[in-house]
Amino acid sequence: MALLLSNGLVYMHIPKTGGNWLTTLIERHHLVLSSLGHKHATYEALVGTEAEHAARRAGTAITGFFCVVRNPVSWYESWYKYQCHREWRQWGVVGDLSRWHVMSSLNMDAPTDFNTFIERVNRKSPGFVSQLYSRYTLDSGAFILKTESIRTDFAKLCQSTGLAVPEADVHSLAEIGVSPPKPIEWDPQLKKITVNNEIAAFHSYNYDPEEALA
């Protein structure tokens, strides 16, 4: 679920960006006032009265939002490893409100390898990661943290917003929910196509597309 915290911030959990680690840290310090909707609820899904009513019931007001993003290239790698480990679980159903899931458009039969997976994404949902992130960040004014620097970024967020998590605890908590190890070897042309499809995410969140292709 999206989580309403004690200082009025709402944490929106984008899949495969370190959310289980962050949720564990927040919960250990008893900062969660209420859960809001689906675990991976987007900003779009929270718009309206549900989140505001939950905040009022918890005796606070929503003061802002935050989420975590990661380099689109490593996001695809992480999702592939995770799905291999989960035997290509299906997530929700496209067009069924009662079974909504933000990842449902990537449901597919198990691909034979990583590059087959990427080919399918580029054909079926080109720019998927850019669109995924925008569902959380577009119009929300969210503080944006990065998986690659999540400890430092979250410690800074705590300092600037008054979240009571000691910096030592942020840096000492071990990783949680890391995708199982699995060799990944990109086809160079597919990688170039994918980076081009995701150029909006690279530019919007200050990732270097040239570095991704190096």
Side-chain angles (χ1 to χ4, degrees), residues 15-58:
K16 303 313 298 174
T17 60
N20 290 330
W21 175 88
L22 187 49
T23 297
T24 298
L25 182 62
I26 290 167
E27 289 178 340
R28 285 188 180 181
H29 288 273
H30 310 290
L31 297 175
V32 179
L33 294 181
S34 177
S35 59
L36 306 175
H38 191 280
K39 176 179 180 180
H40 297 297
T42 64
Y43 178 71
E44 299 164 329
L46 295 173
V47 169
T49 60
E50 178 188 348
E52 294 172 354
H53 285 167
R56 281 199 284 276
R57 287 194 299 270

Side-chain angles (χ1 to χ4, degrees), residues 17-212:
T17 60
N20 290 330
W21 175 88
L22 187 49
T23 297
T24 298
L25 182 62
I26 290 167
E27 289 178 340
R28 285 188 180 181
H29 288 273
H30 310 290
L31 297 175
V32 179
L33 294 181
S34 177
S35 59
L36 306 175
H38 191 280
K39 176 179 180 180
H40 297 297
T42 64
Y43 178 71
E44 299 164 329
L46 295 173
V47 169
T49 60
E50 178 188 348
E52 294 172 354
H53 285 167
R56 281 199 284 276
R57 287 194 299 270
T60 189
I62 294 174
T63 59
F65 299 82
F66 74 100
C67 59
V68 186
V69 301
R70 75 187 296 169
N71 187 299
V73 166
S74 70
W75 188 94
Y76 280 118
E77 294 171 354
S78 181
W79 183 252
Y80 175 77
K81 293 174 186 178
Y82 177 71
Q83 280 291 78
C84 285
H85 180 65
R86 299 298 297 270
E87 298 182 345
W88 286 87
R89 172 181 168 179
Q90 304 298 290
W91 301 89
V93 176
V94 171
D96 186 341
L97 287 176
S98 67
R99 300 178 65 187
W100 176 90
H101 197 285
V102 74
M103 296 302 302
S104 59
S105 63
L106 283 195
N107 286 344
M108 63 180 71
D109 295 333
T112 55
D113 57 27
F114 176 71
N115 286 301
T116 300
F117 161 64
I118 292 297
E119 284 180 334
R120 290 180 182 177
V121 174
N122 285 339
R123 181 174 65 250
K124 182 182 179 182
S125 300
F128 174 83
V129 172
S130 296
Q131 296 173 53
L132 174 67
Y133 293 173
S134 72
R135 297 176 74 177
Y136 295 86
T137 64
L138 189 63
D139 297 327
S140 71
F143 294 98
I144 298 172
L145 287 57
K146 292 186 175 182
T147 303
E148 296 84 359
S149 53
I150 192 169
R151 288 178 170 81
T152 301
D153 291 353
F154 185 64
K156 289 179 179 178
L157 181 69
C158 289
Q159 292 170 2
S160 65
T161 63
L163 271 179
V165 182
E167 187 168 352
D169 291 359
V170 175
H171 290 286
S172 64
L173 180 62
E175 293 182 344
I176 297 172
V178 178
S179 297
K182 190 176 182 66
I184 296 289
E185 186 173 346
W186 281 84
D187 173 274
Q189 185 59 27
L190 270 179
K191 193 174 192 181
K192 185 176 181 179
I193 292 169
T194 304
V195 169
N196 186 63
N197 286 344
E198 300 294 354
I199 203 67
F202 277 96
H203 289 167
S204 295
Y205 309 105
N206 297 315
Y207 289 106
D208 186 349
E210 297 302 323
E211 182 178 309

